[in-house]
Protein backbone atom coordinates (compact mmCIF):
# COMPACT_ATOMS: atom_id res chain seq x y z
CA UNK A 1 0.00 0.00 0.00
CA UNK A 2 1.50 3.38 -0.93
CA UNK A 3 2.28 5.94 1.78
CA UNK A 4 -0.64 8.24 2.47
CA UNK A 5 -3.26 5.63 1.54
CA UNK A 6 -6.06 4.21 3.68
CA UNK A 7 -4.88 1.00 5.32
CA UNK A 8 -7.48 -1.65 6.16
CA UNK A 9 -6.07 -4.70 7.91
CA UNK A 10 -7.55 -7.91 9.26
CA UNK A 11 -6.08 -8.74 12.67
CA UNK A 12 -6.64 -12.44 13.46
CA UNK A 13 -6.25 -13.36 17.12
CA UNK A 14 -7.14 -16.16 19.50
CA UNK A 15 -8.52 -15.16 22.89
CA UNK A 16 -8.50 -12.06 25.05
CA UNK A 17 -4.79 -12.04 25.87
CA UNK A 18 -3.73 -12.13 22.23
CA UNK A 19 -6.35 -9.49 21.34
CA UNK A 20 -5.00 -7.11 23.99
CA UNK A 21 -1.40 -7.70 22.94
CA UNK A 22 -2.06 -7.08 19.25
CA UNK A 23 -4.42 -4.14 19.84
CA UNK A 24 -2.09 -2.42 22.33
CA UNK A 25 0.85 -2.87 19.96
CA UNK A 26 -1.21 -1.46 17.08
CA UNK A 27 -2.18 1.61 19.15
CA UNK A 28 1.32 2.21 20.54
CA UNK A 29 2.17 5.05 18.14
CA UNK A 30 -1.23 6.70 18.60
CA UNK A 31 -0.75 6.65 22.35
CA UNK A 32 2.87 7.89 22.23
CA UNK A 33 2.13 10.68 19.74
CA UNK A 34 -1.33 11.46 21.17
CA UNK A 35 -2.88 10.85 17.77
CA UNK A 36 -6.64 10.27 17.51
CA UNK A 37 -7.74 6.66 17.80
CA UNK A 38 -11.21 5.12 17.81
CA UNK A 39 -11.81 1.60 19.11
CA UNK A 40 -15.10 -0.14 18.32
CA UNK A 41 -15.10 -3.34 20.38
CA UNK A 42 -17.33 -4.78 23.10
CA UNK A 43 -17.13 -3.46 26.66
CA UNK A 44 -15.03 -6.30 28.15
CA UNK A 45 -12.35 -5.77 25.47
CA UNK A 46 -12.50 -2.02 26.05
CA UNK A 47 -11.75 -2.52 29.74
CA UNK A 48 -8.87 -4.89 29.02
CA UNK A 49 -7.37 -2.52 26.46
CA UNK A 50 -7.76 0.50 28.75
CA UNK A 51 -5.87 -1.41 31.47
CA UNK A 52 -3.11 -2.37 29.03
CA UNK A 53 -2.67 1.17 27.69
CA UNK A 54 -2.85 2.77 31.11
CA UNK A 55 -3.07 6.52 31.74
CA UNK A 56 -1.14 7.33 28.57
CA UNK A 57 -4.05 6.06 26.46
CA UNK A 58 -6.20 9.19 26.77
CA UNK A 59 -6.10 9.85 23.01
CA UNK A 60 -8.13 6.67 22.47
CA UNK A 61 -11.91 6.93 22.21
CA UNK A 62 -14.00 3.81 22.81
CA UNK A 63 -17.48 2.92 21.58
CA UNK A 64 -19.34 -0.31 22.17
CA UNK A 65 -19.54 -2.05 18.80
CA UNK A 66 -22.46 -4.15 20.04
CA UNK A 67 -24.44 -0.92 20.34
CA UNK A 68 -23.23 1.20 17.40
CA UNK A 69 -22.75 -1.86 15.18
CA UNK A 70 -25.78 -3.87 16.13
CA UNK A 71 -26.80 -3.21 12.55
CA UNK A 72 -23.51 -3.51 10.62
CA UNK A 73 -24.72 -0.88 8.13
CA UNK A 74 -24.41 1.73 10.89
CA UNK A 75 -20.67 1.26 11.35
CA UNK A 76 -19.34 3.00 8.22
CA UNK A 77 -20.96 6.32 9.22
CA UNK A 78 -19.14 6.09 12.57
CA UNK A 79 -15.78 5.71 10.78
CA UNK A 80 -16.65 8.44 8.28
CA UNK A 81 -17.51 10.83 11.11
CA UNK A 82 -14.27 9.98 12.93
CA UNK A 83 -12.24 10.71 9.79
CA UNK A 84 -14.15 13.92 9.01
CA UNK A 85 -13.96 15.17 12.61
CA UNK A 86 -10.16 14.81 12.54
CA UNK A 87 -9.51 16.10 9.02
CA UNK A 88 -6.10 17.70 8.76
CA UNK A 89 -4.90 16.18 12.02
CA UNK A 90 -2.44 13.70 10.55
CA UNK A 91 -2.36 10.02 11.45
CA UNK A 92 -5.61 8.42 12.57
CA UNK A 93 -5.96 4.97 14.09
CA UNK A 94 -8.92 2.64 14.39
CA UNK A 95 -9.83 -0.80 15.64
CA UNK A 96 -13.21 -2.23 14.72
CA UNK A 97 -14.56 -5.71 15.45
CA UNK A 98 -18.00 -6.05 13.85
CA UNK A 99 -18.14 -9.87 14.12
CA UNK A 100 -18.96 -11.82 17.24
CA UNK A 101 -20.12 -15.42 17.71
CA UNK A 102 -23.76 -14.59 18.41
CA UNK A 103 -24.24 -12.90 15.02
CA UNK A 104 -26.82 -14.59 12.79
CA UNK A 105 -25.89 -15.83 9.32
CA UNK A 106 -27.52 -12.78 7.72
CA UNK A 107 -25.66 -10.44 10.11
CA UNK A 108 -22.37 -12.17 9.27
CA UNK A 109 -23.06 -11.68 5.56
CA UNK A 110 -23.81 -8.02 6.26
CA UNK A 111 -20.53 -7.72 8.20
CA UNK A 112 -18.63 -9.11 5.22
CA UNK A 113 -20.34 -6.59 2.96
CA UNK A 114 -19.50 -3.85 5.48
CA UNK A 115 -15.82 -4.85 5.51
CA UNK A 116 -15.63 -4.85 1.72
CA UNK A 117 -17.45 -1.51 1.47
CA UNK A 118 -15.03 0.12 3.93
CA UNK A 119 -12.37 -0.14 1.23
CA UNK A 120 -14.50 2.12 -0.99
CA UNK A 121 -16.16 4.32 1.63
CA UNK A 122 -12.86 5.30 3.24
CA UNK A 123 -10.59 5.21 0.18
CA UNK A 124 -10.02 8.95 0.59
CA UNK A 125 -9.09 8.58 4.30
CA UNK A 126 -5.38 8.68 3.52
CA UNK A 127 -4.27 9.06 7.13
CA UNK A 128 -6.43 6.27 8.62
CA UNK A 129 -5.08 2.86 9.52
CA UNK A 130 -7.92 0.55 10.53
CA UNK A 131 -7.32 -2.88 12.08
CA UNK A 132 -10.22 -5.31 12.28
CA UNK A 133 -9.81 -8.01 14.94
CA UNK A 134 -11.14 -11.46 14.03
CA UNK A 135 -11.28 -14.05 16.83
CA UNK A 136 -10.20 -17.27 15.12
CA UNK A 137 -10.88 -19.18 18.34
CA UNK A 138 -14.64 -18.61 18.39
CA UNK A 139 -15.70 -17.84 14.81
CA UNK A 140 -16.28 -20.55 12.20
CA UNK A 141 -13.29 -21.07 9.88
CA UNK A 142 -15.38 -20.11 6.82
CA UNK A 143 -16.39 -16.86 8.52
CA UNK A 144 -12.77 -16.07 9.40
CA UNK A 145 -11.59 -16.83 5.86
CA UNK A 146 -14.29 -14.69 4.25
CA UNK A 147 -13.57 -11.85 6.65
CA UNK A 148 -9.84 -11.87 6.03
CA UNK A 149 -10.42 -11.80 2.25
CA UNK A 150 -12.29 -8.48 2.66
CA UNK A 151 -9.08 -6.80 3.83
CA UNK A 152 -6.16 -5.72 1.65
CA UNK A 153 -3.70 -6.60 4.44
CA UNK A 154 -3.40 -8.93 7.43
CA UNK A 155 -1.69 -7.85 10.68
CA UNK A 156 -0.03 -10.47 12.88
CA UNK A 157 2.28 -9.68 15.79
CA UNK A 158 3.03 -6.19 14.46
CA UNK A 159 3.74 -7.21 10.86
CA UNK A 160 1.42 -6.83 7.90
CA UNK A 161 1.11 -8.90 4.77
CA UNK A 162 -1.36 -9.55 1.97
CA UNK A 163 -4.02 -12.19 2.76
CA UNK A 164 -3.19 -15.73 1.64
Amino acid sequence: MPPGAFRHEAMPYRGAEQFVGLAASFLERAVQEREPALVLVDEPKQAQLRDALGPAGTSVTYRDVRVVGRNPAHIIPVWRSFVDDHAGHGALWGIGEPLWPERSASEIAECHQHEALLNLALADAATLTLACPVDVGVLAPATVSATVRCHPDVRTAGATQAPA
Side-chain angles (χ1 to χ4, degrees), residues 1-76:
M1 184 114 359
F6 168 54
R7 293 191 62 92
H8 185 208
E9 305 169 346
M11 190 170 72
Y13 72 95
R14 185 179 301 274
E17 186 176 321
Q18 192 174 35
F19 165 78
V20 171
L22 287 169
S25 174
F26 174 80
L27 292 171
E28 186 175 336
R29 178 178 156 195
V31 170
Q32 288 176 351
E33 303 292 325
R34 303 195 50 74
E35 296 169 336
L38 176 60
V39 175
L40 300 179
V41 298
D42 63 29
E43 288 186 358
K45 287 186 183 109
Q46 289 178 37
Q48 293 165 335
L49 192 51
R50 278 189 181 101
D51 287 347
L53 295 176
T58 58
S59 64
V60 179
T61 300
Y62 296 88
R63 301 219 20 219
D64 188 346
V65 72
R66 291 188 184 226
V67 174
V68 300
R70 183 171 174 210
N71 177 341
H74 295 167
I75 301 171
I76 288 176

Side-chain angles (χ1 to χ4, degrees), residues 2-153:
F6 168 54
R7 293 191 62 92
H8 185 208
E9 305 169 346
M11 190 170 72
Y13 72 95
R14 185 179 301 274
E17 186 176 321
Q18 192 174 35
F19 165 78
V20 171
L22 287 169
S25 174
F26 174 80
L27 292 171
E28 186 175 336
R29 178 178 156 195
V31 170
Q32 288 176 351
E33 303 292 325
R34 303 195 50 74
E35 296 169 336
L38 176 60
V39 175
L40 300 179
V41 298
D42 63 29
E43 288 186 358
K45 287 186 183 109
Q46 289 178 37
Q48 293 165 335
L49 192 51
R50 278 189 181 101
D51 287 347
L53 295 176
T58 58
S59 64
V60 179
T61 300
Y62 296 88
R63 301 219 20 219
D64 188 346
V65 72
R66 291 188 184 226
V67 174
V68 300
R70 183 171 174 210
N71 177 341
H74 295 167
I75 301 171
I76 288 176
V78 173
W79 289 118
R80 182 81 256 167
S81 179
F82 174 70
V83 169
D84 293 346
D85 289 349
H86 295 91
H89 185 279
L92 302 176
W93 303 89
I95 294 177
E97 186 173 27
L99 282 169
W100 51 82
E102 299 83 10
R103 288 271 200 199
S104 69
S106 60
E107 289 173 322
I108 290 170
E110 182 72 21
C111 286
H112 291 148
Q113 183 176 18
H114 152 78
E115 292 285 11
L117 287 172
L118 277 169
N119 298 314
L120 299 172
L122 297 175
D124 66 331
T127 62
L128 176 62
T129 301
L130 175 58
C132 299
V134 182
D135 192 341
V136 301
V138 299
L139 296 171
T143 298
V144 171
S145 179
T147 302
V148 169
R149 283 194 309 270
C150 295
H151 296 80
D153 294 304

